[in-house]
Amino acid sequence: QVHLVESGGGLVHTGGSLRLSCAASGSIFIINAMSWYRQAPGKQRELVATVIGEDKINYADSVKGRFTISRDNAKNTVYLQMNSLKPEDTAVYYCNCAATSTSRDWSVYWGQGTQVTVSS
């Protein structure tokens, strides 16, 4: 199995910054993509940022210019640096990983989520 653990969430004021981390562990053969999603109360889960393969990166328009996704392949870890945070960024943030296990089976894995709250 592949296990994802997020960290770095918390409470900040408008304009503040947070850095989220997601570490993948377990029976990993190769990671094809890592992404960050978020889900606000009463709303559908949405894609925030993703890194596919070595260097293909995409951002949601709402976070472009404020958030930066990066990946440390040696540590199987993805980061989300969030700057200039706004109250509308308040949500539970989830790490997502598309990976092939050592059994050579491909699956999509989800972390447990970490709460980000931005006060006005």
Side-chain angles (χ1 to χ4, degrees):
Q1 299 183 39
V2 177
H3 187 218
L4 304 179
V5 178
E6 302 106 328
S7 62
L11 173 65
V12 297
H13 297 295
T14 297
S17 298
L18 286 172
R19 190 186 75 160
L20 306 183
S21 299
C22 173
S25 62
S27 303
I28 300 171
F29 181 73
I30 191 171
I31 295 176
N32 304 109
M34 299 190 79
S35 304
W36 287 98
Y37 288 75
R38 68 184 181 187
Q39 187 166 20
K43 295 186 177 181
Q44 189 174 5
R45 187 173 299 186
E46 63 176 347
L47 178 64
V48 176
T50 186
V51 54
I52 303 172
E54 295 294 326
D55 55 8
K56 185 178 180 180
I57 296 174
N58 291 295
Y59 297 97
D61 289 340
S62 59
V63 307
K64 197 171 298 182
R66 299 187 297 120
F67 291 10
T68 302
I69 188 171
S70 61
R71 178 178 170 182
D72 186 334
N73 293 328
K75 298 180 179 180
N76 287 330
T77 299
V78 66
Y79 305 93
L80 186 67
Q81 178 66 47
M82 304 184 294
N83 298 325
S84 301
L85 284 163
K86 306 174 182 179
E88 50 262 45
D89 295 317
T90 296
V92 177
Y93 284 70
Y94 297 92
C95 181
N96 174 276
C97 174
T100 302
S101 70
T102 54
S103 66
R104 305 300 190 269
D105 295 321
W106 179 90
S107 294
V108 175
Y109 302 90
W110 290 95
Q112 81 287 348
T114 184
Q115 177 71 50
V116 172
T117 302
V118 185
S119 62
S120 59

